[in-house]
Amino acid sequence: MEQLVPSELDDATHAEYRLLYDAAARNILFAKRQQWRVVEYFTLIALALVAIGIAVPFAPDVTRFVAGFLSFVGAASLGVVAMLQSWLGNEHATMAYLANDFSNLARRALRRKPKLSGDIHRYLMLLLMLLYIVVLDVVVVRLLLDIAR
């Protein structure tokens, strides 16, 4: 078994590093939760517009406005999800930087999951979120336009 080589940081600096590392981990959880909320809220808006469009069919001009509004909200949702992903990447980089000065056993434990694997999983989830928003937007806009005919 590998011998423990403690961190060379003094106690105060080590405490700061742990505080920053924990803050970055909390920021990652918050940003990921916000990404999912954006997807959820976009879904609710789209479903609400479809339900209203079925219950009380829109006039053709109103339908075009509602479709444009939904597309605008979809584009904004794409931007917010991408922006949050950028923040996630920055927080992961912060954690990796801070971990370099932890003990050898802590670094080894943190490297159990390869960075490439984590990146692939993160960007696959991002791609699926973005694709979901685009597909839902296209389907709902077409549905609303068909209902108005």
Side-chain angles (χ1 to χ4, degrees), residues 113-122:
K113 181 176 182 182
K115 181 183 180 327
L116 179 62
S117 172
D119 288 345
I120 289 171
H121 293 153
R122 273 193 302 282

Side-chain angles (χ1 to χ4, degrees), residues 54-72:
I54 290 171
V56 183
F58 299 120
D61 289 344
V62 175
T63 300
R64 284 193 295 278
F65 173 78
V66 169
F69 170 75
L70 185 64
S71 294
F72 171 77

